[in-house]
């Protein structure tokens, strides 16, 4: 059994992994950049090692330095979390070479699924439907033009090494193809060091439905059902839930089997996710494999009762899967909202700076996976995710109500966040009816910023008031009338005499 793990990550996911390790009696080593000296993961780990200056290329992406830190601390294993080195086959290979357990898939599987074109070829060979489109990297724009005519517009240009929506361009007609391919190549080159792009048919307003898979090193595999991740902004997920309102038991079983078949074809081990696009006629197409723990893994944990980080560690330690497909059930409904340090009223500009005060929601069925605390400075260097708010309830309607109530109770003061935006998504009638697809945000929330303007100039007042709240003696007087029930339960109520309407 592994008894010490280095966590090659930061923020909420590093905290999540540290907590799983603690429960398993495993010691933890955090790594951090100079910008993260005061970060929560550094405080919670048993040991912490400074690995470099703030830019990720000099710290969280510095493979040699991280392996060195693991060796110096006598960690048998490295958990990469998500992002940074999580899907880097060279890093997995370096760990393998140095005799350190990489908590993730083997480097060959990682390499295969990290290349979208190779993954498409493998899946097609395995009999899984792929999105219509090119099956090899084109050698010229003329080749793309010919292929696009066969596929039919609209098409989407994608980077083969892609991730995070980088290099993607939707093209509606032939005139726009050449500049889109060229721009996609430039973006892919700068993001991944590989300019290979290819074309797929652009499906109109599909749903994004993905399946969680666990596979041990002995050929045993289960799926832990689906996650519906159609609420996306610029092709990036912001709200996820399970079960998907779009699946019935028959379709669920079919997609679950296809997901397992995909992972078998890739010789995959450990935790991974097979992503599909689902069209209006319930046809599903392989999109890609995410070869790591997903940001949205908690919704699966709440509905299946399986701790995915614990399972990852057990599998990496060489244990056999302790569950069979028939042991797994979906119970109730879970929804996750990603809380970003961004200003939705200002084109989602990152909002770094000091969190003057944070009040996390609590209550039955409410889980908060966070990496923040009052007084912490959000650095500008990394992904702006602050935390994830996850709720569980007996059914979807109750889960939506619970999420609304939890978001109402959530206050972060000092920086802009997406909390208000998320609340409006959850309460949108189409979301409540389960009628979501990947075009949802564009269709209903394109001009949300106008209405949702954050009272930026009031922030210093709010912040002062929040500190005031921490010192109740400062505002025992001033409440002239008893607040309404809604006001009493609003975090703004905690601002006492400073309460300001219309927020
Ligand atoms: P990345 O790896 O960059 O995150 P993905 O291939 O996983 O990109 O796609 C991300 C999202 O982009 C999908 O969930 C979907 O919303 C959209 N998308 C990708 N490919 C297509 C397609 N062929 N048709 C329609 N939407 C697509």
């Amino acid at each position: 059994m592994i008894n010490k793990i280095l966590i090659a990550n930061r923020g909420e996911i590093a905290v999540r992994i540290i907590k799983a390790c603690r429960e398993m009696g495993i010691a933890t080593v955090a790594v951090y950049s100079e910008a993260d000296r005061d970060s929560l993961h550094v405080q919670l780990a048993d040991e912490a090692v400074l690995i470099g200056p703030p830019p990720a290329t000099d710290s969280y992406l510095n493979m040699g330095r991280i392996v060195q830190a693991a060796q110096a601390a006598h960690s048998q294993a490295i958990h990469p979390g998500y992002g940074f080195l999580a899907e880097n086959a060279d890093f997995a290979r370096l760990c393998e070479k140095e005799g350190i357990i990489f908590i993730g898939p083997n480097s060959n599987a990682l390499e295969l699924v990290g290349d979208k074109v190779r993954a498409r070829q493998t899946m097609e060979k395995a009999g899984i439907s792929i999105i219509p489109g090119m099956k090899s990297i084109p050698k010229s724009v003329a080749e793309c033009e010919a292929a696009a005519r066969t596929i039919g517009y609209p098409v989407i240009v994608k980077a083969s090494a892609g991730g995070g929506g980088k290099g993607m361009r939707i093209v509606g007609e032939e005139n726009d193809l050449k500049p889109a391919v060229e721009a996609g190549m430039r973006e892919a080159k700068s993001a991944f060091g590989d300019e290979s792009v290819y074309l797929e048919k652009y499906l109109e307003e599909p749903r994004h439905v993905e399946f969680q898979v666990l596979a041990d090193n002995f050929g045993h595999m289960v799926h832990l059902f689906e996650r519906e991740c159609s609420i996306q902004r610029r092709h990036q997920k912001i709200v996820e839930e399970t079960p998907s309102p779009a699946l019935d038991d028959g379709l669920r079983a079919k997609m679950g089997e296809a997901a397992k078949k995909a992972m078998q074809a890739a010789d995959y081990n450990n935790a991974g996710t097979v992503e599909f696009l689902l069209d209006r006629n319930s046809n599903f197409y392989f999109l890609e494999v995410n070869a790591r723990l997903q940001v949205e893994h908690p919704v699966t944990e709440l509905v299946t009762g399986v701790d995915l980080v614990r399972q990852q560690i057990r599998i990496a330690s060489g244990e056999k899967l302790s569950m069979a497909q028939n042991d797994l059930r979906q119970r109730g409904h879970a929804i996750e909202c990603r809380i970003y340090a961004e200003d939705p009223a200002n084109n989602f500009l990152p909002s770094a700076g000091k969190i003057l005060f944070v009040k996390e929601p609590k209550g039955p069925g409410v889980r908060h996976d966070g990496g923040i605390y009052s007084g912490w400075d959000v650095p500008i260097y990394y992904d702006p995710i602050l935390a994830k708010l996850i709720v569980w309830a007996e059914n979807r309607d109750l889960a939506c109500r619970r999420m609304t109530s939890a978001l109402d109770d959530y206050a972060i003061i000092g920086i802009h966040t997406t909390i208000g935006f998320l609340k409006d998504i959850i309460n949108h009638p189409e979301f409540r009816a389960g009628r979501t697809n990947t075009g949802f945000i564009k269709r209903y929330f394109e001009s949300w910023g106008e209405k949702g303007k954050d009272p930026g100039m009031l922030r210093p007042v709010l912040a002062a008031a929040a500190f005031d709240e921490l010192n109740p003696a400062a505002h025992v007087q001033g409440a002239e009338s008893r607040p309404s029930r809604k006001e009493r339960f609003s975090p703004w109520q905690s601002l006492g005499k400073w309460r300001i309407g219309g927020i």
Side-chain angles (χ1 to χ4, degrees), residues 78-249:
I78 296 182
H79 197 308
Y82 56 70
F84 296 128
L85 297 169
E87 291 179 279
N88 187 315
D90 290 339
F91 183 62
R93 211 166 279 126
L94 178 63
C95 291
E96 285 164 10
K97 183 171 146 263
E98 296 294 331
I100 296 170
I101 299 169
F102 175 79
I103 304 179
N106 65 82
S107 55
N108 290 336
L110 205 47
E111 189 150 52
L112 191 160
V113 301
D115 178 335
K116 289 190 197 238
V117 168
R118 252 185 89 198
R120 279 165 66 78
Q121 292 164 351
T122 307
M123 297 312 152
E124 195 181 39
K125 230 184 268 162
I128 297 157
S129 342
I130 58 172
I131 299 168
M134 302 177 91
K135 290 167 202 163
S136 58
I137 303 294
K139 292 185 184 64
S140 65
V141 174
E143 198 181 322
C144 290
E145 283 167 351
R149 266 176 243 135
T150 314
I151 298 166
Y153 286 92
V155 295
I156 182 166
V157 179
K158 279 191 173 181
S160 189
K166 296 220 171 67
M168 253 157 46
R169 298 278 185 293
I170 299 157
V171 183
E173 55 173 43
E174 183 151 338
N175 282 344
D176 298 333
L177 188 63
K178 187 167 185 277
V181 168
E182 287 169 352
M185 286 171 74
R186 277 196 303 275
E187 197 171 311
K189 175 87 183 158
S190 89
F192 315 110
D194 174 357
E195 63 174 14
S196 309
V197 297
Y198 70 103
L199 302 183
E200 279 177 12
K201 172 81 187 159
Y202 181 68
L203 304 179
E204 305 276 2
E205 305 201 321
R207 286 178 184 258
H208 174 119
V209 179
E210 60 185 33
F211 274 71
Q212 175 69 54
V213 173
L214 282 176
D216 67 17
N217 304 339
F218 307 95
H220 305 301
M221 194 178 278
V222 291
H223 74 76
L224 292 96
F225 310 101
E226 78 279 13
R227 290 184 289 260
E228 158 91 44
C229 311
S230 297
I231 305 295
Q232 303 180 354
R233 208 181 66 80
R234 297 196 185 140
H235 308 301
Q236 297 301 300
K237 304 158 191 168
I238 48 179
V239 175
E240 302 97 347
E241 62 180 308
T242 186
S244 163
L247 302 196
D248 57 24
D249 286 346

Side-chain angles (χ1 to χ4, degrees), residues 5 7 16 32 72 246 320 336 387 503:
I5 294 178
I7 296 133
R16 163 75 186 92
Y32 64 98
K320 286 192 173 149
E336 172 181 283
I503 294 167

